[in-house]
Amino acid sequence: RNRKIFEESMQAAASAAWEEKWGQAIEAYKYALTEFPGDVSALTGLGGAYAGAGQWGAALESYQQASKLAPNDPVLWERIAETREQLGQREAAAEAYVSSAKGYLDQQQAENLALERWQDAVRVYPDSVQAHAALLQYYQRHGQVNETVEECLALARIYHDQGRNEYAIQVCQHALKLTPNNPQVLLLLDNLRHGERAAAEPG
């Protein structure tokens, strides 16, 4: 645990990363970690260097190690989400974006950063119930009626696809309280109720 060696290695790693010499950066971060294996900034830097080199699996492993040591760090969750997105793990990426948003809110940081992460979550995985529900609450809290109704419609369709028609109907009814004559909501609600009746009738 030589602090001087650690700091020199971290400085060398940062310089190499700045110049996009990813191989050198990876080796320097690894060397720093031999002195302080549980250092979050070194693990995060190593993840970034692996990402720069396109080694997404190794990047994810480094970010996850760092996240275990700093579980409420929203930036780490964002890095994990971006890396999972690169790996094509869309549902897991959405979950990590939601965790990042929660971290920003828990730390009372800018709510707009949480909003961006929820939007990232539904971009990468449109069926994320957690993200759509969080967006619905955010838009309603800020008086954005059209956006709130859009999230209601998105949630209703997801619930319908999951066979949870009761939840879908409830969400549509909530949307109608905000826009009583919305044709999209009325049509979807009618279809959902028709489906419920058809399911209840004997075959």
Side-chain angles (χ1 to χ4, degrees):
R1 287 179 172 270
N2 187 315
R3 175 59 62 179
K4 187 170 184 290
I5 291 173
F6 174 80
E7 288 177 355
E8 285 173 355
S9 300
M10 288 292 285
Q11 195 169 355
S15 297
W18 178 256
E19 294 173 15
E20 297 187 3
K21 295 176 180 175
W22 301 118
Q24 288 180 29
I26 288 165
E27 291 309 311
Y29 279 124
K30 280 182 176 177
Y31 197 67
L33 285 162
T34 61
E35 296 298 329
F36 291 91
D39 187 86
V40 172
S41 59
L43 285 165
T44 305
L46 180 60
Y50 276 130
Q55 298 179 42
W56 299 108
L60 180 60
E61 195 175 322
S62 296
Y63 289 143
Q64 285 177 323
Q65 285 179 14
S67 187
K68 283 177 185 171
L69 299 166
N72 300 316
D73 185 337
V75 175
L76 273 172
W77 279 111
E78 189 176 342
R79 296 277 184 89
I80 288 169
E82 289 166 351
T83 307
R84 286 197 179 281
E85 192 175 343
Q86 288 290 337
L87 289 165
Q89 300 169 1
R90 303 179 78 80
E91 188 172 358
E95 288 173 9
Y97 278 127
V98 169
S99 295
S100 176
K102 184 178 184 298
Y104 282 121
L105 292 180
D106 287 348
Q107 294 180 17
Q108 296 181 327
Q109 295 188 41
E111 196 181 25
N112 66 307
L113 291 174
L115 172 63
E116 287 174 11
R117 298 297 77 77
W118 291 321
Q119 289 170 335
D120 282 332
V122 298
R123 171 183 57 77
V124 72
Y125 185 65
D127 287 348
S128 173
V129 170
Q130 272 186 301
H132 281 296
L135 284 168
L136 192 160
Q137 290 170 356
Y138 174 89
Y139 291 135
Q140 185 159 328
R141 203 162 54 244
H142 289 266
Q144 295 173 249
V145 174
N146 290 340
E147 289 82 356
T148 305
V149 171
E150 283 298 314
E151 292 305 323
C152 287
L153 286 165
L155 272 173
R157 291 183 182 115
I158 293 167
Y159 285 138
H160 171 65
D161 290 344
Q162 293 176 346
R164 301 161 76 187
N165 264 21
E166 283 184 26
Y167 285 103
I169 289 168
Q170 285 173 18
V171 174
C172 286
Q173 287 170 336
H174 179 73
L176 282 179
K177 289 176 185 173
L178 302 171
T179 54
N181 298 311
N182 185 299
Q184 280 183 288
V185 179
L186 287 168
L187 178 61
L188 182 55
L189 187 57
D190 186 55
N191 289 339
L192 288 166
R193 283 177 170 157
H194 180 73
E196 287 275 284
R197 284 195 298 273
E201 287 170 6

mmCIF file of all heavy atoms in Angstrom, residues 111 118 130-143 148 151 155 174:
data_model
loop_
_atom_site.group_PDB
_atom_site.id
_atom_site.type_symbol
_atom_site.label_atom_id
_atom_site.label_comp_id
_atom_site.label_asym_id
_atom_site.label_seq_id
_atom_site.Cartn_x
_atom_site.Cartn_y
_atom_site.Cartn_z
ATOM 1 N N GLU A 111 -32.581 16.793 -10.649
ATOM 2 C CA GLU A 111 -33.663 15.895 -11.059
ATOM 3 C C GLU A 111 -33.650 15.672 -12.569
ATOM 4 O O GLU A 111 -34.075 14.630 -13.051
ATOM 5 C CB GLU A 111 -35.013 16.470 -10.611
ATOM 6 C CG GLU A 111 -36.136 15.460 -10.649
ATOM 7 C CD GLU A 111 -37.479 16.049 -10.219
ATOM 8 O OE1 GLU A 111 -37.666 17.279 -10.352
ATOM 9 O OE2 GLU A 111 -38.331 15.285 -9.758
ATOM 10 N N TRP A 118 -34.058 7.895 -16.976
ATOM 11 C CA TRP A 118 -35.329 7.191 -17.245
ATOM 12 C C TRP A 118 -35.601 7.157 -18.755
ATOM 13 O O TRP A 118 -36.049 6.140 -19.288
ATOM 14 C CB TRP A 118 -36.491 7.864 -16.524
ATOM 15 C CG TRP A 118 -36.462 7.720 -15.040
ATOM 16 C CD1 TRP A 118 -36.086 6.612 -14.322
ATOM 17 C CD2 TRP A 118 -36.815 8.714 -14.076
ATOM 18 N NE1 TRP A 118 -36.193 6.859 -12.977
ATOM 19 C CE2 TRP A 118 -36.637 8.139 -12.798
ATOM 20 C CE3 TRP A 118 -37.266 10.031 -14.155
ATOM 21 C CZ2 TRP A 118 -36.893 8.833 -11.616
ATOM 22 C CZ3 TRP A 118 -37.522 10.732 -12.988
ATOM 23 C CH2 TRP A 118 -37.338 10.136 -11.734
ATOM 24 N N GLN A 130 -40.725 -0.044 -14.870
ATOM 25 C CA GLN A 130 -40.156 0.858 -13.855
ATOM 26 C C GLN A 130 -39.893 2.247 -14.418
ATOM 27 O O GLN A 130 -40.239 3.258 -13.803
ATOM 28 C CB GLN A 130 -38.829 0.291 -13.339
ATOM 29 C CG GLN A 130 -38.950 -0.671 -12.172
ATOM 30 C CD GLN A 130 -37.564 -1.049 -11.671
ATOM 31 O OE1 GLN A 130 -36.756 -1.585 -12.425
ATOM 32 N NE2 GLN A 130 -37.284 -0.776 -10.414
ATOM 33 N N ALA A 131 -39.266 2.284 -15.584
ATOM 34 C CA ALA A 131 -38.901 3.575 -16.174
ATOM 35 C C ALA A 131 -40.134 4.357 -16.612
ATOM 36 O O ALA A 131 -40.232 5.567 -16.371
ATOM 37 C CB ALA A 131 -37.952 3.366 -17.352
ATOM 38 N N HIS A 132 -41.090 3.682 -17.262
ATOM 39 C CA HIS A 132 -42.317 4.371 -17.687
ATOM 40 C C HIS A 132 -43.098 4.894 -16.478
ATOM 41 O O HIS A 132 -43.626 6.009 -16.515
ATOM 42 C CB HIS A 132 -43.201 3.434 -18.511
ATOM 43 C CG HIS A 132 -42.761 3.283 -19.935
ATOM 44 N ND1 HIS A 132 -42.757 4.327 -20.840
ATOM 45 C CD2 HIS A 132 -42.309 2.200 -20.626
ATOM 46 C CE1 HIS A 132 -42.325 3.904 -22.008
ATOM 47 N NE2 HIS A 132 -42.046 2.619 -21.910
ATOM 48 N N ALA A 133 -43.159 4.102 -15.405
ATOM 49 C CA ALA A 133 -43.881 4.535 -14.198
ATOM 50 C C ALA A 133 -43.204 5.756 -13.578
ATOM 51 O O ALA A 133 -43.873 6.699 -13.134
ATOM 52 C CB ALA A 133 -43.943 3.388 -13.190
ATOM 53 N N ALA A 134 -41.863 5.745 -13.565
ATOM 54 C CA ALA A 134 -41.122 6.880 -13.011
ATOM 55 C C ALA A 134 -41.333 8.132 -13.860
ATOM 56 O O ALA A 134 -41.514 9.235 -13.336
ATOM 57 C CB ALA A 134 -39.639 6.541 -12.926
ATOM 58 N N LEU A 135 -41.336 7.958 -15.186
ATOM 59 C CA LEU A 135 -41.578 9.093 -16.087
ATOM 60 C C LEU A 135 -42.988 9.640 -15.906
ATOM 61 O O LEU A 135 -43.200 10.858 -15.887
ATOM 62 C CB LEU A 135 -41.363 8.661 -17.542
ATOM 63 C CG LEU A 135 -39.906 8.519 -17.996
ATOM 64 C CD1 LEU A 135 -39.831 7.816 -19.339
ATOM 65 C CD2 LEU A 135 -39.219 9.876 -18.069
ATOM 66 N N LEU A 136 -43.952 8.728 -15.764
ATOM 67 C CA LEU A 136 -45.349 9.143 -15.548
ATOM 68 C C LEU A 136 -45.439 10.042 -14.307
ATOM 69 O O LEU A 136 -46.038 11.125 -14.338
ATOM 70 C CB LEU A 136 -46.230 7.906 -15.376
ATOM 71 C CG LEU A 136 -47.752 8.075 -15.409
ATOM 72 C CD1 LEU A 136 -48.419 6.733 -15.716
ATOM 73 C CD2 LEU A 136 -48.310 8.608 -14.089
ATOM 74 N N GLN A 137 -44.824 9.589 -13.207
ATOM 75 C CA GLN A 137 -44.863 10.362 -11.960
ATOM 76 C C GLN A 137 -44.154 11.700 -12.121
ATOM 77 O O GLN A 137 -44.620 12.737 -11.628
ATOM 78 C CB GLN A 137 -44.223 9.555 -10.828
ATOM 79 C CG GLN A 137 -45.054 8.346 -10.404
ATOM 80 C CD GLN A 137 -44.302 7.422 -9.464
ATOM 81 O OE1 GLN A 137 -43.133 7.632 -9.168
ATOM 82 N NE2 GLN A 137 -44.969 6.384 -9.008
ATOM 83 N N TYR A 138 -43.016 11.680 -12.816
ATOM 84 C CA TYR A 138 -42.249 12.922 -13.023
ATOM 85 C C TYR A 138 -43.088 13.936 -13.806
ATOM 86 O O TYR A 138 -43.226 15.091 -13.406
ATOM 87 C CB TYR A 138 -40.948 12.623 -13.766
ATOM 88 C CG TYR A 138 -40.181 13.866 -14.150
ATOM 89 C CD1 TYR A 138 -39.244 14.421 -13.285
ATOM 90 C CD2 TYR A 138 -40.417 14.506 -15.378
ATOM 91 C CE1 TYR A 138 -38.554 15.577 -13.635
ATOM 92 C CE2 TYR A 138 -39.734 15.661 -15.723
ATOM 93 C CZ TYR A 138 -38.807 16.190 -14.856
ATOM 94 O OH TYR A 138 -38.139 17.345 -15.188
ATOM 95 N N TYR A 139 -43.645 13.495 -14.951
ATOM 96 C CA TYR A 139 -44.413 14.413 -15.796
ATOM 97 C C TYR A 139 -45.657 14.931 -15.071
ATOM 98 O O TYR A 139 -46.012 16.101 -15.198
ATOM 99 C CB TYR A 139 -44.812 13.726 -17.107
ATOM 100 C CG TYR A 139 -43.650 13.448 -18.033
ATOM 101 C CD1 TYR A 139 -43.523 12.212 -18.676
ATOM 102 C CD2 TYR A 139 -42.686 14.417 -18.288
ATOM 103 C CE1 TYR A 139 -42.455 11.952 -19.539
ATOM 104 C CE2 TYR A 139 -41.622 14.168 -19.151
ATOM 105 C CZ TYR A 139 -41.512 12.926 -19.766
ATOM 106 O OH TYR A 139 -40.463 12.672 -20.617
ATOM 107 N N GLN A 140 -46.306 14.050 -14.308
ATOM 108 C CA GLN A 140 -47.503 14.483 -13.585
ATOM 109 C C GLN A 140 -47.143 15.516 -12.516
ATOM 110 O O GLN A 140 -47.843 16.515 -12.348
ATOM 111 C CB GLN A 140 -48.201 13.280 -12.943
ATOM 112 C CG GLN A 140 -49.525 13.667 -12.284
ATOM 113 C CD GLN A 140 -50.446 12.480 -12.102
ATOM 114 O OE1 GLN A 140 -50.437 11.543 -12.895
ATOM 115 N NE2 GLN A 140 -51.227 12.493 -11.049
ATOM 116 N N ARG A 141 -46.015 15.263 -11.853
ATOM 117 C CA ARG A 141 -45.548 16.187 -10.800
ATOM 118 C C ARG A 141 -45.246 17.559 -11.388
ATOM 119 O O ARG A 141 -45.419 18.580 -10.722
ATOM 120 C CB ARG A 141 -44.292 15.585 -10.157
ATOM 121 C CG ARG A 141 -43.983 16.057 -8.770
ATOM 122 C CD ARG A 141 -43.037 15.143 -8.030
ATOM 123 N NE ARG A 141 -41.792 14.867 -8.745
ATOM 124 C CZ ARG A 141 -41.427 13.669 -9.172
ATOM 125 N NH1 ARG A 141 -42.215 12.629 -8.987
ATOM 126 N NH2 ARG A 141 -40.273 13.500 -9.786
ATOM 127 N N HIS A 142 -44.803 17.592 -12.639
ATOM 128 C CA HIS A 142 -44.426 18.857 -13.271
ATOM 129 C C HIS A 142 -45.546 19.425 -14.154
ATOM 130 O O HIS A 142 -45.309 20.365 -14.918
ATOM 131 C CB HIS A 142 -43.146 18.668 -14.087
ATOM 132 C CG HIS A 142 -41.930 18.477 -13.223
ATOM 133 N ND1 HIS A 142 -41.108 19.516 -12.841
ATOM 134 C CD2 HIS A 142 -41.436 17.365 -12.616
ATOM 135 C CE1 HIS A 142 -40.144 19.051 -12.069
ATOM 136 N NE2 HIS A 142 -40.318 17.755 -11.914
ATOM 137 N N GLY A 143 -46.728 18.836 -14.058
ATOM 138 C CA GLY A 143 -47.884 19.371 -14.774
ATOM 139 C C GLY A 143 -47.822 19.215 -16.285
ATOM 140 O O GLY A 143 -48.471 19.957 -17.020
ATOM 141 N N THR A 148 -47.641 12.928 -19.610
ATOM 142 C CA THR A 148 -48.185 11.982 -18.623
ATOM 143 C C THR A 148 -49.111 10.975 -19.301
ATOM 144 O O THR A 148 -49.026 9.763 -19.062
ATOM 145 C CB THR A 148 -48.969 12.733 -17.518
ATOM 146 O OG1 THR A 148 -48.121 13.727 -16.934
ATOM 147 C CG2 THR A 148 -49.433 11.778 -16.429
ATOM 148 N N GLU A 151 -47.259 8.387 -21.307
ATOM 149 C CA GLU A 151 -46.700 7.328 -20.444
ATOM 150 C C GLU A 151 -47.798 6.366 -19.979
ATOM 151 O O GLU A 151 -47.554 5.165 -19.860
ATOM 152 C CB GLU A 151 -45.969 7.942 -19.240
ATOM 153 C CG GLU A 151 -44.691 8.687 -19.599
ATOM 154 C CD GLU A 151 -43.705 7.838 -20.392
ATOM 155 O OE1 GLU A 151 -43.594 6.633 -20.122
ATOM 156 O OE2 GLU A 151 -43.045 8.395 -21.279
ATOM 157 N N LEU A 155 -47.639 2.410 -20.720
ATOM 158 C CA LEU A 155 -47.777 1.422 -19.641
ATOM 159 C C LEU A 155 -48.955 0.488 -19.893
ATOM 160 O O LEU A 155 -48.860 -0.725 -19.676
ATOM 161 C CB LEU A 155 -47.956 2.131 -18.299
ATOM 162 C CG LEU A 155 -46.684 2.502 -17.538
ATOM 163 C CD1 LEU A 155 -47.018 3.349 -16.329
ATOM 164 C CD2 LEU A 155 -45.911 1.254 -17.105
ATOM 165 N N HIS A 174 -56.810 6.405 -15.251
ATOM 166 C CA HIS A 174 -56.032 7.510 -14.682
ATOM 167 C C HIS A 174 -55.798 8.585 -15.754
ATOM 168 O O HIS A 174 -55.941 9.788 -15.486
ATOM 169 C CB HIS A 174 -54.693 6.994 -14.149
ATOM 170 C CG HIS A 174 -53.827 8.066 -13.565
ATOM 171 N ND1 HIS A 174 -54.095 8.662 -12.348
ATOM 172 C CD2 HIS A 174 -52.700 8.667 -14.040
ATOM 173 C CE1 HIS A 174 -53.179 9.578 -12.094
ATOM 174 N NE2 HIS A 174 -52.317 9.600 -13.103
#
